[in-house]
Amino acid sequence: MNSNNNETNHAVFPVRPMVMAVALAISSLAQAQEAVPAANAAVQVEQVVVTANKRAQNLQDVPMAITVLSDATIQRNNVRGLDDLPALSPALTLSYGTQPANFSINMRGIGTFSLGIGVEADVAVVVDDVPYAMQANAFKDLADVQRIEVLKGPQSTMLGKSSIAGAINIATKPIEAGWKSRASTYLSSDGEWRVRGALSGALSDTLRMRLAVSKSDFGGVVKNLADGGRLNGMRDNNLTGKLEWSPSDNLQVVVSPHAANFVNNCCVSPFSSMTPGGLYQNIAQLPASTLLKGISPGPGNVNVRNDYPAGGRAEDRGVGVKVVYNFDDNGPLAHHTFTSVSSWSHYKMSDFQDGDATDSDVLSAMLVNGKPSGFSGGLYQYGQFDARSKTQEFRLTSPEKGALRYVGGLFYAKNDLGRELTRAPITTYVTDWASTAYNTNTAIFGQANYDLTPQTGVLLGLRYNKEDIGYTFNRYTPPPATSRVLTEALRGDNSETKVTGKVGLEHHLDAATLAYLTYSTGHKGLAYDLTSSFTGAVAKSQPVPGENARNIEAGLKLSLLENRMALDLAAFRTNFTGFQQSAGFLDPDGTFRTTLHSIGALRTSGLEADLNWRVSRPLSVNAAFAYTRAEIADFENGPCYSVLNAAGNAAVPGGNCAPNPKYNNASVQNLAGATMPNAPKYKLNLGGQYDIGNVGSYDAFVTAAYRWQSAVQFSLNQDPMTILGSYGILNLGAGFKDKKDTFKLSFMVNNVFNKSYAVGLLNNWANGTWSSRAPNQLLAVNTTNWTPARDYQRYFAMRADMAF
């Protein structure tokens, strides 16, 4: 694991020289177009078609910052799930919580960090025009995927209010023209395996189908000494289908069912350090040397002792129905397209957590109110999420030819969410509650492009959204009560209307260069803080107001070297107000609670570049870069981190923390100017493939991928102990395939230089879990934890792809 002290400030990229270098490079490339070798004149980058604006468009004609991951890129990098995307799209990061429903997708440094069922995500995930009702459902295998579009910045106008920071737009594989069977297998040296298969073709002149299945298993990189198993891995079973009926040239109906079962035994953070002599809850009979037997807390430790499951066990069922009607060449709607997209889905997950992170009988030795607890065993937590969703969209799309091009439509969604949580069994730890939340959205939207001249055009988009929301919250007598008695029942309903929009100007400097400037707004809806801290007093301040965003973006899209290179550049600045974020405070009785706030303001700004370059017929290169400055503009009651006091026997607030009478004299700090968590300032990825050509009766190839990011702070409270230094990861590969492209065998080595790094860091000073008592003095015990990345150490893999 990287040290948080020795590399934090090494990543200093001078922005102005970088911009000058980019400008010089573009100038040089423009001159080089006149000297393209004849042998490469016919070699061009593949045209990329995207549906970010709900119509098929050439990527280079869309005035928006988009990173596109093609089928070839997905296969070459062995993308399994969302966890793999930040390595390919620098604008993306993922933040991990205690179970998948607490995960966060962050775009340009902005993402939701309070994922109760009453709070929406900031980044939407959309699959074949259907948005996920709950972001947790996206953390599974990306089965049968053809293309992934990372849409940066507010997308509320076209994709709705859960996309205030951006969206991930996923398109699954189409049905093939002729009967085709495909299969692939993957096996790694650290125990991961995957098997996938697909069958596609025509059943009749009007009926075609596709069926895809996949199964994967990875135990994880964390070793559980309690049972010899592995943690922080995933098991996944997936089935997707498509049935396409085309009774005429004008009409097409596609039915797309899907089903998945997946287990994510995640979110376990081994100790990376611990002050010697620690006692659990300061109990002499529970020393760390016994409870953590076999574990050596330190950098690189991946051992834990858990006797209760971790993560979540989920299933997802659903179906989508897409109807497309193309009007003929007569009448007022000549050459227009009418599309209807309907969906139904049901996602549910049971989640678990070991409350004491040991496999020992800690309860027998614990005292409650000065008396023996009366229990044996350990602490544990379990719960369940349930999300049911229905959506309906109608839209009308104009022809792509003509000065005026537009898409407009109606959207309806009904989401019913549920959450239950139980912690047991001692009174200082227990809770038992159940909540529900619903949201109903009705919207009318549209976006149009109009060419003022053959070179210059304008765009205008608007969305009117009406949302009705509500909740119930029931608290019960917690375990070990013999019967479950309702002790508190709360409910509420609210509604909100909002208009978001987008305006822009685009100009073709020449046939190969598009310049654009856009201004857009975004909105995320009202929220309820449906967590363990929810009470009648908290309910009086609900709902928390929605978030708003204002974004300005300027960009260039260039086709260079006779269309052998596509280079997209963007500069952006987005201001957020009312950002929904949890913050802690002390009640007058001294109880620490967290409450969801609509905090002041955030801003994110930066520069981005995406490059696809067909250097020569055998060599292809892709690259992406992001400079992102995501910081807090206004948050006066920010949470504090702790430091050790002078006596060394207690933790006290660190940094700029001080009691504030506005917040019950709780110690808070003003975080204005602080960086957002998990928002590295610089990220870079490079990749490519070189086709060697004939090797006997096969064609051989080699691949390479490198990614680098600067130091990152994982904690909102700006704890200096939760900074991860900069790091770079190199992956290499090689393989061969037959001339007919029916068989391909690939070999990979990931993390070639064995660079250890984390995807999460935690720091706890004397948090009440571990401490040690010396004669006449209580000594604070500090513990740090880390979440090792999937590729925190070198591993090898092989993959076979077959087509029949």
Side-chain angles (χ1 to χ4, degrees):
M1 184 176 61
N2 286 2
S3 166
N4 57 311
N5 296 320
N6 59 0
E7 293 185 86
T8 302
N9 298 316
H10 287 191
V12 181
F13 275 58
V15 175
R16 291 182 180 176
M18 181 183 67
V19 174
M20 294 175 62
V22 170
L24 288 172
I26 294 173
S27 175
S28 300
L29 288 169
Q31 297 176 20
Q33 293 188 78
E34 301 177 1
V36 176
N40 293 324
V43 178
Q44 296 183 338
V45 293
E46 182 181 355
Q47 178 176 305
V48 178
V49 175
V50 297
T51 57
N53 288 323
K54 294 186 180 290
R55 65 179 195 244
Q57 295 175 283
N58 185 336
L59 173 64
Q60 298 307 103
D61 294 331
V62 180
M64 183 194 307
I66 306 174
T67 295
V68 178
L69 307 179
S70 66
D71 183 40
T73 300
I74 293 170
Q75 289 193 42
R76 186 167 66 239
N77 292 276
N78 294 294
V79 171
R80 172 179 175 171
L82 289 186
D83 295 359
D84 300 314
L85 299 189
L88 301 172
S89 177
L92 273 177
T93 60
L94 299 181
S95 298
Y96 297 92
T98 55
Q99 37 82 5
N102 288 336
F103 291 1
S104 170
I105 304 173
N106 312 314
M107 190 79 72
R108 290 175 170 173
I110 304 298
T112 297
F113 303 101
S114 300
L115 284 181
I117 61 169
V119 186
E120 295 178 307
D122 280 347
V123 178
V125 179
V126 181
V127 179
D128 289 340
D129 285 326
V130 177
Y132 280 136
M134 192 171 184
Q135 195 180 80
N137 195 13
F139 289 92
K140 59 187 177 186
D141 273 12
L142 293 173
D144 212 35
V145 168
Q146 176 74 11
R147 185 182 69 255
I148 300 173
E149 304 169 10
V150 180
L151 314 180
K152 309 165 195 177
Q155 306 295 322
S156 299
T157 301
M158 297 303 290
L159 297 180
K161 59 189 182 59
S162 292
S163 58
I164 187 172
I168 299 175
N169 190 34
I170 300 172
T172 58
K173 291 183 182 297
I175 301 174
E176 301 190 63
W179 277 104
K180 204 77 169 179
S181 299
R182 299 184 183 274
S184 69
T185 62
Y186 176 92
L187 181 65
S188 75
S189 60
D190 58 357
E192 180 179 358
W193 59 267
R194 312 174 200 168
V195 178
R196 293 179 176 177
L199 175 66
S200 181
L203 298 170
S204 69
D205 291 341
T206 60
L207 198 63
R208 301 193 305 158
M209 59 83 67
R210 181 179 181 87
L211 182 66
V213 296
S214 66
K215 186 178 181 66
S216 62
D217 187 284
F218 177 55
V221 298
V222 174
K223 302 174 184 178
N224 189 2
L225 301 184
D227 60 9
R230 297 269 179 162
L231 294 168
N232 286 13
M234 176 181 281
R235 298 194 306 273
D236 198 298
N237 301 292
N238 214 300
L239 172 68
T240 61
K242 286 185 179 180
L243 185 64
E244 177 189 291
W245 179 49
S246 302
S248 69
D249 293 339
N250 300 72
L251 179 63
Q252 182 185 85
V253 181
V254 180
V255 181
S256 305
H258 68 268
N261 295 321
F262 43 104
V263 177
N264 197 332
N265 63 346
C266 69
C267 319
V268 176
S269 299
F271 289 113
S272 54
S273 71
M274 175 181 282
T275 305
L279 304 174
Y280 186 81
Q281 298 287 350
N282 200 41
I283 299 172
Q285 302 95 310
L286 301 176
S289 57
T290 299
L291 271 61
L292 304 179
K293 183 179 180 180
I295 298 174
S296 300
N301 170 51
V302 293
N303 294 324
V304 299
R305 282 192 169 276
N306 284 14
D307 59 358
Y308 197 74
R313 183 182 300 115
E315 63 178 54
D316 174 37
R317 305 285 186 270
V319 62
V321 179
K322 187 173 185 177
V323 180
V324 179
Y325 182 80
N326 296 300
F327 291 90
D328 56 28
D329 53 4
N330 297 312
L333 295 178
H335 303 296
H336 282 63
T337 300
F338 172 80
T339 304
S340 168
V341 180
S342 311
S343 76
W344 170 88
S345 68
H346 183 199
Y347 165 82
K348 58 183 180 180
M349 179 184 71
S350 299
D351 63 295
F352 315 93
Q353 185 177 347
D354 190 315
D356 52 56
T358 77
D359 61 343
S360 300
D361 179 5
V362 299
L363 294 181
S364 295
M366 292 179 64
L367 300 178
V368 178
N369 297 324
K371 299 178 180 180
S373 70
F375 297 98
S376 61
L379 305 175
Y380 56 89
Q381 172 181 308
Y382 61 89
Q384 181 170 311
F385 290 87
D386 191 280
R388 300 172 188 263
S389 177
K390 303 174 186 176
T391 68
Q392 176 63 58
E393 180 173 304
F394 299 113
R395 64 175 182 260
L396 184 68
T397 308
S398 71
E400 279 301 301
K401 296 181 179 179
L404 177 64
R405 303 170 302 282
Y406 58 86
V407 59
L410 303 171
F411 178 79
Y412 171 85
K414 178 70 164 67
N415 299 316
D416 292 295
L417 311 173
R419 170 61 165 155
E420 297 183 10
L421 180 67
T422 301
R423 289 201 301 256
I426 63 172
T427 56
T428 55
Y429 179 75
V430 297
T431 191
D432 188 8
W433 54 268
S435 66
T436 65
Y438 76 86
N439 60 78
T440 303
N441 288 274
T442 307
I444 179 170
F445 65 90
Q447 185 165 293
N449 295 71
Y450 181 72
D451 294 335
L452 300 173
T453 71
Q455 292 79 34
T456 305
V458 295
L459 70 87
L460 173 65
L462 285 174
R463 186 184 192 97
Y464 172 85
N465 191 91
K466 182 180 186 299
E467 179 182 35
D468 298 310
I469 63 172
Y471 75 91
T472 66
F473 188 92
N474 295 330
R475 193 181 301 277
Y476 302 92
T477 51
T482 55
S483 61
R484 197 184 196 205
V485 179
L486 180 65
T487 60
E488 186 176 33
L490 305 168
R491 65 178 303 130
D493 299 278
N494 298 91
S495 63
E496 180 186 49
T497 59
K498 198 70 177 181
V499 175
T500 54
K502 183 175 185 178
V503 295
L505 177 68
E506 52 185 297
H507 179 72
H508 288 273
L509 302 176
D510 53 46
T513 306
L514 172 69
Y516 68 89
L517 177 67
T518 60
Y519 172 80
S520 58
T521 62
H523 179 71
K524 190 178 82 170
L526 305 171
Y528 299 116
D529 187 19
L530 303 177
T531 63
S532 296
S533 297
F534 197 73
T535 64
V538 173
K540 294 178 181 179
S541 63
Q542 304 290 302
V544 174
E547 293 180 16
N548 294 291
R550 299 178 181 274
N551 175 67
I552 186 167
E553 180 175 300
L556 285 173
K557 299 206 166 189
L558 305 102
S559 296
L560 303 168
L561 303 177
E562 295 189 355
N563 204 32
R564 291 193 298 115
M565 175 187 287
L567 176 62
D568 297 348
L569 304 172
F572 65 91
R573 182 181 178 90
T574 312
N575 292 317
F576 292 82
T577 56
F579 187 71
Q580 294 165 354
Q581 170 68 48
S582 289
F585 68 96
L586 286 173
D587 274 346
D589 62 4
T591 302
F592 181 81
R593 302 185 184 277
T594 60
T595 295
L596 185 70
H597 291 273
S598 180
I599 67 175
L602 310 174
R603 55 177 170 263
T604 180
S605 58
L607 303 170
E608 296 166 337
D610 286 271
L611 170 74
N612 283 290
W613 186 8
R614 192 70 182 268
V615 182
S616 62
R617 191 173 299 278
L619 178 60
S620 298
V621 174
N622 62 273
F625 170 80
Y627 162 74
T628 307
R629 186 162 183 164
E631 58 187 15
I632 299 168
D634 179 19
F635 190 11
E636 67 175 4
N637 61 319
C640 298
Y641 64 89
S642 298
V643 297
L644 194 63
N645 66 2
N649 61 0
V652 295
N656 298 316
C657 285
N660 190 322
K662 289 177 62 177
Y663 305 101
N664 298 321
N665 283 320
S667 291
V668 296
Q669 61 174 325
N670 191 333
L671 291 177
T675 183
M676 289 293 291
N678 200 10
K681 187 172 290 187
Y682 300 97
K683 285 186 68 179
L684 168 72
N685 71 267
L686 300 168
Q689 176 169 319
Y690 184 81
D691 296 321
I692 299 173
N694 294 331
V695 177
S697 57
Y698 295 92
D699 290 332
F701 59 88
V702 294
T703 64
Y706 177 77
R707 69 182 190 274
W708 178 90
Q709 73 169 47
S710 59
V712 62
Q713 167 64 267
F714 281 110
S715 297
L716 179 66
N717 63 22
Q718 309 298 302
D719 188 340
M721 295 291 289
T722 56
I723 297 175
L724 179 71
S726 60
Y727 64 88
I729 303 295
L730 175 66
N731 300 332
L732 296 176
F736 58 88
K737 59 184 179 179
D738 67 353
K739 302 291 185 181
K740 296 182 180 179
D741 204 20
T742 60
F743 177 77
K744 181 170 70 172
L745 186 62
S746 307
F747 301 90
M748 293 78 68
V749 54
N750 296 280
N751 195 353
V752 172
F753 298 113
N754 207 30
K755 185 69 172 178
S756 182
Y757 71 102
V759 293
L761 295 175
L762 299 172
N763 178 46
N764 295 298
W765 270 111
N767 62 351
T769 302
W770 297 93
S771 56
S772 64
R773 184 177 296 277
N776 305 315
Q777 181 180 357
L778 181 70
L779 296 180
V781 170
N782 179 262
T783 64
T784 60
N785 303 69
W786 73 309
T787 305
R790 162 66 183 91
D791 58 346
Y792 85 102
Q793 64 180 3
R794 183 190 306 115
Y795 68 95
F796 303 89
M798 62 178 294
R799 171 174 171 158
D801 295 276
M802 296 149 281
F804 311 97

